[in-house]
């Protein structure tokens, strides 16, 4: 006849419970980390798409001859100046002041600027997560990621006629893990081949 647990049984039960508790905690930890990581990835992905869309909308209304610089592939550029069509006044097209979208490499930022280099320049930062080089690219004089461009930066424009190709890699550091990297690209066509384009003073 037995009543209750022996000391040995009690010790074993407590030990087993402890093991379960540790396992459950580690499962919860992993789940939390995965969720945080997923949220971060979604945020970086969304920001990359948003910034690319903003750049696309900004340059879409420009005149192709206003694009500066214009380097043929495989050369490419991490900045672009342009002027957009603001509308018609007295039968003439009114062109905007020069605007610029550029990568500020030291700060990993893309900024939009109105009147670049002028005393009254205005700047707005669109993202601060730009990778130094496009995904898969390292500075070695070669095209490491096979996209036809050599040593392209985290923001890269290529211009061919009216088409502006743009590529963007965002990179977010993570503690104790590989950084999160997202690359997006698109091509937009300048829609303002109208006569009477004049460079801003
Ligand atoms: Ca490349
Ligand atoms: Ca390279």
């Amino acid at each position: 006849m037995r009543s209750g647990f022996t000391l040995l049984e009690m010790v074993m039960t407590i030990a087993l419970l402890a093991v379960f508790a540790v396992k459950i905690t580690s499962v919860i930890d992993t789940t939390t980390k995965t969720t945080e990581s997923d949220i971060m990835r979604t945020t970086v992905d969304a920001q990359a798409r948003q910034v690319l869309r903003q750049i696309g909308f900004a340059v879409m209304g420009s005149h192709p001859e206003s694009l500066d610089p214009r380097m043929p592939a495989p050369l490419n550029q991490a900045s672009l100046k342009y002027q957009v069509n603001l509308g018609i006044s007295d039968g003439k097209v009114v062109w905007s002041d020069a605007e610029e979208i550029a990568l500020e490499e030291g700060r990993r930022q893309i900024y939009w600027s109105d009147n670049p280099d002028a005393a009254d320049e205005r700047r707005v930062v669109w993202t601060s997560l730009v990778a130094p080089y496009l995904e898969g690219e390292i500075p070695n004089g070669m095209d490491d990621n096979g996209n036809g461009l050599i040593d392209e930066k985290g923001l890269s424009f290529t211009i061919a006629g009216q088409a502006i190709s743009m590529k963007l890699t965002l990179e977010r550091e993570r503690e104790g893990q590989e950084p999160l990297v997202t690359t997006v690209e698109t091509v937009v066509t300048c829609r303002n081949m109208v006569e009477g384009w004049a460079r801003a003073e």
Side-chain angles (χ1 to χ4, degrees), residues 57-76:
F57 278 128
V59 299
M60 203 179 270
S62 65
H63 194 289
E65 284 173 37
S66 74
L67 304 178
D68 174 38
R70 297 180 65 101
M71 291 195 267
L75 296 176
N76 63 97

Side-chain angles (χ1 to χ4, degrees), residues 22-147:
V22 168
K23 282 201 167 159
I24 288 168
T25 314
S26 69
V27 166
I28 290 171
D29 265 3
T30 316
T31 313
T32 312
K33 273 185 188 145
T34 309
T35 311
E36 274 172 13
S37 190
D38 285 348
I39 291 170
M40 211 184 269
R41 168 156 292 288
T42 308
T43 311
V44 175
D45 286 353
Q47 185 169 130
R49 285 196 302 272
Q50 166 69 18
V51 172
L52 197 72
R53 243 194 323 267
Q54 258 176 303
I55 299 173
F57 278 128
V59 299
M60 203 179 270
S62 65
H63 194 289
E65 284 173 37
S66 74
L67 304 178
D68 174 38
R70 297 180 65 101
M71 291 195 267
L75 296 176
N76 63 97
Q77 56 204 56
S79 71
L80 185 63
K81 284 184 191 161
Y82 58 94
Q83 286 173 249
V84 297
N85 180 343
L86 297 177
I88 308 280
S89 175
D90 294 335
K92 284 186 176 171
V93 180
V94 180
W95 294 98
S96 71
D97 292 334
E99 297 178 10
E100 182 177 42
I101 293 167
L103 169 63
E104 187 158 17
E105 294 178 35
R107 305 171 83 167
R108 304 185 48 183
Q109 292 180 338
I110 290 176
Y111 65 83
W112 171 89
S113 157
D114 185 30
N115 270 327
D117 310 322
D120 58 348
E121 173 183 5
R122 288 183 304 156
R123 276 192 185 191
V124 182
V125 173
W126 282 356
T127 177
S128 301
L129 293 178
V130 187
Y133 290 89
L134 205 75
E135 190 172 358
E137 193 66 35
I138 51 170
N140 56 1
M142 294 192 296
D143 176 17
D144 304 283
N145 54 13
N147 64 359

